């Protein structure tokens, strides 16, 4: 009887799944017909008008106005009230795709609610739509790049895993309709310098292209079904990335099977003739972009498509083909015409910046902050500590929590507030800013340093903010168009820390803000504990309080290598990967990729391969044992690395191929298992192809990227060799 009931249930599930799949196919077929019919009824001028971000309504066809430009890197941005999460580099530091899928869902949910209200009040303006030009899956290859804070770090695998999770959360799980549309940007080979982005030509080796710069885009297209891809400003192999047949057609559409739409970065079509000098005028530039595979122009350059048509540079069929994916995206969103069938159309505005969403932001902030040093168990602090002095330019600053591309939250809290919320009623807390953020103090009198030294615990918050690093025109304190000239903190901030540290007897905890690698060698020497807090979003203050006083254990990990200094880095303009990232760096490492302390003491041992017979065509099952030798329960980010034949010469020194968050109770052991897929064993060759090399491989299960510096820092690891012949 039980077996019969099971078979009936199984049959019902199969039938239900088939019905759902068939329903999705029927809906898509119906919508394709609708899109074709609408396009067939448009004039040439109307077709062109729909291919720029500010698309006007076409009343006779029932088409509503729509601006395609909306932002959502770490919350609905530039569109009023919303939950603000840590910047993407902090999001990556969580190493938690499941949590980041929740982040994507929160952004889409709030975006839908805001969109619904915007339509009710007639707001069809910029940033009020459902096409979010996020995530940024460029590789943070150079620590001087100001926009690195928008990325998921230096590693293609981590970037892909976090990016896929964000896209799944944002786009929803309906088989046809989109909760919101994600966009993988900036395709491709784009990571500074900002000042040259409208004119420079990136010519990486094919190995670097397919090993480093393209894998995250490929994963988002093939595995997460991202709806849109944004072309970058720069040239790649001589072609504008927003007008490259090689990138947009040969690779994106033909090789990867992309079905969505491609949008240019804003003004990138103008750059085809203005910056890159590829075309002689805007009409020719627009024709190049269109015929290469661009569907949507951010800007007004595509007005010239009418002239391009008259000059026979394009045909009306080219317009129709480019317009089709755009109409389909709007039908998937349910915002093209009044007959909206979207299952997401009735989301209430009560969800916007809600308490529930704030708690997700708080968890992300908790998991993003990285404990870099904790000498003599300085942390966690006791809540009944007698005196605390908080100082520094960013301790009570709200703007530093935001980074760039941010919304506005009514719940934002500062680091000072988070600290004050945790201590006992009898604890004396004092605060002074102490120093200005970007310039030395004007007043020679200093009443802060002595008071900081006198407290039992000093917490100093220094670093960078969005005025120091960011996009070309946003970082108003940057003399390099948003990029950094070097990795140093402002000298007057370091002097402030030196003065506090001189002849002190108390505990000194230094909290660093920033969205990129910083030279922390002297900061580490002067401090008992060092925390990388990034730009942690609206809940960053409370999250820091949770961590400092031990309500939550640190678990964030570095998504990017922190070099000792910038003097030994390759030239910023050089897109060759040699000497960059943990994959190719052998020295100049202060804090390695994947590094981060907890309130435990985790050891790694007994790594083994569970299926010892393999020839590179089967999955490899790996197991390792972890033990928490500390007194606190912790969440450990266990990382799996592979070193292949020719490591450091023709292949990376090591490559991240897996990671897991594991909860470890005090003084207990636990086994962790990974599965290595056959394709993960293949290495990218000089011509861009992937081959399985013969020879010795090493599997490393570790708490950070395996390197000499990780060993010096006491990072646990266990490894095993195997051969393929």
């Amino acid at each position: 009887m039980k077996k019969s009931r099971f078979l009936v249930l199984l049959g019902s599930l199969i039938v239900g799944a088939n019905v759902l799949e068939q329903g999705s196919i029927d809906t898509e077929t119906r919508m394709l017909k609708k899109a074709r019919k609408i396009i067939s009824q448009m004039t040439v001028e109307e077709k062109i008008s729909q291919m720029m971000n500010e698309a006007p309504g076409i009343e006779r066809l029932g088409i509503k106005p729509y601006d395609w430009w909306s932002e959502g890197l770490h919350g609905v941005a530039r569109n009023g009230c919303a939950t603000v999460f840590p910047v993407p580099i902090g999001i990556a530091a969580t190493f938690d795709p499941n949590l980041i899928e929740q982040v994507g869902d929160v952004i889409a949910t709030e975006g839908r609610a805001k969109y619904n209200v915007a339509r009710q009040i007639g707001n069809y303006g910029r940033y009020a739509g459902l096409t979010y030009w996020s995530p940024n899956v460029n590789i943070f290859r150079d620590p001087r790049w100001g926009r690195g804070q928008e990325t998921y770090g230096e590693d293609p695998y981590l970037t892909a895993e976090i990016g896929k999770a964000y896209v799944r959360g944002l786009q929803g799980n309906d088989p046809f309709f989109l909760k919101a549309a994600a966009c993988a940007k900036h395709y491709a080979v784009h990571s500074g310098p900002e000042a040259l982005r409208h004119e420079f030509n990136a010519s990486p080796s094919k190995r670097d292209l397919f090993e480093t710069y393209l894998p995250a885009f490929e994963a988002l297209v093939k595995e997460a079904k991202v709806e849109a891809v944004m072309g970058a400003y720069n040239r790649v192999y001589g072609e504008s990335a927003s007008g490259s047949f090689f990138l947009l057609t040969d690779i994106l559409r033909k090789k990867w099977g992309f079905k969505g739409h491609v949008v240019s970065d804003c003004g990138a079509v103008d750059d085809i003739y203005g910056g890159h000098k590829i075309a002689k005028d805007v009409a020719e530039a627009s024709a190049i972009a269109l015929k290469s595979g661009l569907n949507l122009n951010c800007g007004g350059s595509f007005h010239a498509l009418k002239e391009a048509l008259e000059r026979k540079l394009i045909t009306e069929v080219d317009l129709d083909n480019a317009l089709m994916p755009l109409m389909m995206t709007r039908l998937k969103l349910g915002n093209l015409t009044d007959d909206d069938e979207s299952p997401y159309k009735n989301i209430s505005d009560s969800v916007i910046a809600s308490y529930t969403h704030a708690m997700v932001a708080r968890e992300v902030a908790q998991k993003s902050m990285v404990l870099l040093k904790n000498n003599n168990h300085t942390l966690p602090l006791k809540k009944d500590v007698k005196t605390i002095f908080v100082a520094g330019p960013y301790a009570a600053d709200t703007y530093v929590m935001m980074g760039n591309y941010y919304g506005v939250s009514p719940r934002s809290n500062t680091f000072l507030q988070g600290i004050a919320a945790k201590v006992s009623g009898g604890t004396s807390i004092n605060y002074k800013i102490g120093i200005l953020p970007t310039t030395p103090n004007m007043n020679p009198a200093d009443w802060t340093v002595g008071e900081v030294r006198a407290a039992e615990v000093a917490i100093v918050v220094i670093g960078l903010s969005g005025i120091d690093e960011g996009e070309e025109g946003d970082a108003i304190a940057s003399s390099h168009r948003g990029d950094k000239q070097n990795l140093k903190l402002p000298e007057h901030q370091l002097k402030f820390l030196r003065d506090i540290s001189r002849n002190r007897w108390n505990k000194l905890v230094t909290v660093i803000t920033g969205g990129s690698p910083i030279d922390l060698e002297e900061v580490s020497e002067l401090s008992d504990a060092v925390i990388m807090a990034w730009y942690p979003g609206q809940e960053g203050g409370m999250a820091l309080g949770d961590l400092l006083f031990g309500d939550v254990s640190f678990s964030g990990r570095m998504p990017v290598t922190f070099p000792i200094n910038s003097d030994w880095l390759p030239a910023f303009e050089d897109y060759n990967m040699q000497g960059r990232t943990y994959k190719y760096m052998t020295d100049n490492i202060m804090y390695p990729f994947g590094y981060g302390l907890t309130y435990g003491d985790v050891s790694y041992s007994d790594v083994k391969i569970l299926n010892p017979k393999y020839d590179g065509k089967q999955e490899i099952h790996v197991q390792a044992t972890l033990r928490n030798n500390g007194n606190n329960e912790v969440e450990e980010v266990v990382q799996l690395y592979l070193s292949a034949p020719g490591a450091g010469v023709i292949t990376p020194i090591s490559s991240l191929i897996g990671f897991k968050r594991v909860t470890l109770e005090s003084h207990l052991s636990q086994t962790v298992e990974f599965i290595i897929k056959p394709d993960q064993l293949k290495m990218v060759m000089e011509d861009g192809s992937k081959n399985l090399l013969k020879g010795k491989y090493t599997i490393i299960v570790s708490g950070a990227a395996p390197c000499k510096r990780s060993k010096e820092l006491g990072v646990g690891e266990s490894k095993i060799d195997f051969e393929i012949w």
Side-chain angles (χ1 to χ4, degrees):
M1 182 64 73
K2 288 183 178 179
K3 183 176 181 181
S4 298
R5 283 201 299 268
F6 171 76
L7 291 174
V8 170
L9 177 61
L10 181 61
S12 299
L13 290 172
I14 293 172
V15 170
N18 289 337
V19 169
L20 185 65
E21 182 179 0
Q22 185 60 47
S24 173
I25 293 171
D26 292 345
T27 300
E28 184 167 8
T29 300
R30 183 163 50 83
M31 292 299 182
L32 283 166
K33 290 180 180 178
K34 182 176 181 177
R36 292 191 190 102
K37 182 178 179 180
I38 290 173
I39 292 171
S40 71
Q41 295 173 309
M42 289 182 185
T43 65
V44 166
E45 290 79 7
E46 288 170 338
K47 291 174 182 179
I48 292 172
S49 75
Q50 299 301 302
M51 297 170 64
M52 289 170 280
N53 66 286
E54 294 183 24
I58 305 175
E59 189 173 349
R60 67 184 182 84
L61 298 179
I63 294 176
K64 299 294 183 182
Y66 186 68
D67 196 315
W68 291 79
W69 186 351
S70 290
E71 302 287 356
L73 279 172
H74 57 115
V76 177
R78 300 178 175 178
N79 190 27
C81 184
T83 301
V84 182
F85 294 92
V87 290
I89 194 70
I91 283 174
T94 69
F95 278 68
D96 194 340
N98 292 331
L99 180 59
I100 304 316
E101 187 167 343
Q102 291 182 52
V103 171
D105 181 66
V106 168
I107 295 171
T109 299
E110 294 192 2
R112 270 283 171 180
K114 295 176 72 64
Y115 173 83
N116 293 340
V117 177
R119 290 303 175 267
Q120 291 170 13
I121 65 174
N123 178 8
Y124 295 94
R126 184 177 295 176
Y127 308 130
L130 293 169
T131 40
Y132 292 105
W133 291 349
S134 309
N136 182 338
V137 290
N138 292 129
I139 298 302
F140 199 173
R141 64 172 183 96
D142 193 293
R144 292 164 289 200
W145 187 33
R147 296 188 73 181
Q149 63 181 286
E150 300 175 28
T151 76
Y152 298 134
E154 72 185 28
D155 181 69
Y157 179 79
L158 176 64
T159 297
E161 292 302 300
I162 299 295
K164 287 187 299 182
Y166 172 93
V167 171
R168 286 193 297 265
L170 191 84
Q171 296 192 163
N173 55 15
D174 187 272
F176 178 78
F177 291 101
L178 296 168
K179 197 170 190 178
C183 175
K185 67 181 185 184
H186 309 82
Y187 182 69
V189 200
H190 181 83
S191 50
E194 283 292 289
L196 303 179
R197 65 181 183 170
H198 302 286
E199 60 192 56
F200 83 85
N201 180 41
S203 294
S205 68
K206 288 297 177 66
R207 171 182 286 146
D208 287 340
L209 180 71
F210 288 99
E211 179 185 274
T212 299
Y213 295 114
L214 294 189
F217 287 98
E218 181 178 9
L220 265 61
V221 168
K222 294 168 72 172
E223 299 176 49
K225 309 300 180 187
V226 69
E227 182 65 16
V229 170
M230 176 182 282
Y233 286 116
N234 54 283
R235 278 172 287 153
V236 179
Y237 304 133
E239 292 183 307
S240 163
S242 289
S244 167
F245 195 87
F246 171 68
L247 288 176
L248 304 185
T249 297
D250 287 343
I251 293 179
L252 185 61
R253 296 198 184 277
K254 292 182 178 179
K255 186 174 182 178
W256 297 346
F258 179 64
K259 303 298 183 186
H261 70 267
V262 180
V263 58
S264 75
D265 208 337
C266 299
V269 175
D270 282 350
D271 288 343
I272 294 176
Y273 73 94
H276 301 307
K277 314 297 183 185
I278 294 171
K280 63 183 180 182
D281 55 35
V282 65
E284 185 179 345
S286 297
I288 289 171
L290 187 75
K291 294 182 77 67
S292 296
L294 192 71
N295 304 96
L296 181 68
N297 166 219
C298 179
S301 303
F302 269 13
H303 283 297
L305 286 174
K306 181 71 181 300
E307 180 185 340
L309 186 65
E310 293 167 350
R311 288 164 56 181
K312 300 188 186 306
L313 299 175
I314 60 169
T315 67
E316 191 167 355
V317 172
D318 293 327
L319 294 177
D320 293 348
N321 290 340
L323 190 55
M324 188 66 181
L326 297 176
M327 296 297 98
M328 287 301 294
T329 296
R330 290 194 63 179
L331 288 169
K332 291 175 186 177
L333 290 168
N335 70 3
L336 183 62
T337 54
D338 280 332
D339 53 342
D340 182 358
E341 300 178 35
S342 171
Y344 306 111
K345 64 182 179 180
N346 295 319
I347 296 176
S348 164
D349 62 357
S350 63
V351 302
I352 299 171
S354 67
Y355 174 81
T356 301
H357 292 173
M359 291 305 98
V360 179
R362 187 164 176 169
E363 183 179 356
V364 178
Q366 290 166 347
K367 291 184 174 181
S368 73
M369 295 185 188
V370 185
L371 181 59
L372 298 174
K373 180 181 179 181
N374 192 22
N375 196 38
N376 296 323
H377 302 289
T378 297
L379 301 177
L381 299 172
K382 294 180 179 180
K383 294 180 181 178
D384 61 355
V385 59
K386 295 180 182 64
T387 57
I388 295 178
F389 203 104
V390 183
Y394 299 123
D397 185 78
T398 302
Y399 176 68
V400 79
M401 317 305 272
M402 297 178 179
N404 68 354
Y405 285 91
Y406 47 82
V408 179
S409 170
R411 298 176 179 270
S412 291
N413 47 76
T414 67
F415 296 124
L416 179 62
Q417 289 172 304
I419 294 165
K422 286 295 174 180
V423 297
S424 74
T427 298
S428 296
I429 293 184
N430 281 291
Y431 160 73
K432 286 183 180 178
I433 189 171
I435 50 167
L436 298 171
T438 59
T439 59
N441 293 353
M442 303 297 290
N443 188 339
D446 180 2
W447 287 5
T448 304
V449 169
E451 294 182 62
V452 176
R453 282 196 200 133
E456 188 177 346
V457 176
I459 301 174
V460 179
V461 186
I462 57 176
L464 306 177
S465 78
I467 67 171
D468 299 298
E469 57 180 354
E471 197 168 2
E472 183 181 14
D474 280 343
I476 57 175
S478 166
S479 60
H480 290 72
R481 299 275 186 98
D483 293 327
K484 301 188 301 185
Q485 186 175 11
N486 55 55
L487 308 185
K488 295 183 181 296
L489 287 171
E491 174 59 27
H492 71 286
Q493 290 191 20
L494 286 173
K495 182 181 182 302
F496 182 63
L497 199 65
R498 290 184 204 115
D499 290 344
I500 290 170
S501 185
R502 189 177 297 115
N503 299 323
R504 66 178 174 86
W505 62 273
N506 59 356
K507 294 181 179 180
L508 174 58
V509 179
T510 304
V511 179
I512 303 294
T513 62
S516 60
I518 296 171
D519 177 357
L520 295 179
E521 187 173 28
E522 186 175 6
V523 172
S524 180
E525 292 172 357
L526 296 172
S527 310
D528 296 304
V530 180
I531 297 159
M532 187 66 203
W534 315 107
Y535 304 130
Q538 68 175 59
E539 299 298 319
M542 293 302 172
L544 180 66
D546 294 334
L547 293 163
L548 286 176
F549 293 92
D551 288 344
V552 177
S553 178
F554 281 93
S555 62
R557 298 300 173 102
M558 301 296 276
V560 60
T561 302
F562 272 38
I564 296 173
N565 61 59
S566 58
D567 296 341
W568 302 330
L569 293 173
F572 195 174
E573 298 85 354
D574 183 2
Y575 272 73
N576 187 313
M577 289 305 296
Q578 283 297 326
R580 298 189 183 277
T581 79
Y582 77 93
K583 289 190 171 189
Y584 291 103
M585 290 178 71
T586 57
D587 52 22
N588 192 31
I589 299 170
M590 182 68 188
Y591 292 115
F593 173 87
Y595 175 75
L597 299 173
T598 69
Y599 287 149
D601 176 18
V602 179
S603 59
Y604 289 67
S605 64
D606 301 326
V607 65
K608 62 185 69 173
I609 297 173
L610 301 180
N611 54 329
K613 294 183 179 180
Y614 40 79
D615 57 8
K617 298 178 181 178
Q618 299 87 18
E619 293 179 341
I620 297 178
H621 293 249
V622 178
Q623 184 183 88
T625 300
L626 277 64
R627 179 175 176 79
N628 179 9
N629 302 302
N631 296 322
N632 301 294
E633 179 180 285
V634 298
E635 239 186 304
E636 178 77 356
V637 177
V638 188
Q639 300 155 52
L640 178 69
Y641 293 88
L642 179 72
S643 183
V649 182
I650 61 170
T651 62
I653 297 168
S654 66
S655 299
L656 181 72
I657 59 172
F659 58 87
K660 288 183 178 181
R661 274 186 166 265
V662 179
T663 300
L664 297 172
E665 295 182 31
S666 172
H667 300 292
L668 291 180
S669 299
Q670 186 174 328
T671 58
V672 179
E673 292 188 11
F674 290 96
I675 296 176
I676 302 174
K677 297 177 181 179
D679 192 59
Q680 291 181 293
L681 296 175
K682 294 180 179 179
M683 296 292 115
V684 178
M685 300 293 99
E686 190 58 41
D687 63 357
S689 63
K690 294 180 76 173
N691 290 333
L692 181 68
L693 301 179
K694 294 182 179 180
K696 186 182 79 171
Y697 292 75
T698 303
I699 293 171
I700 309 104
V701 181
S702 176
C707 63
K708 177 184 176 182
R709 180 58 176 158
S710 290
K711 291 180 179 179
E712 291 172 353
L713 291 167
V715 174
E717 72 169 34
S718 183
K719 58 186 179 181
I720 188 171
D721 297 334
F722 68 97
E723 296 181 343
I724 294 178
W725 297 104

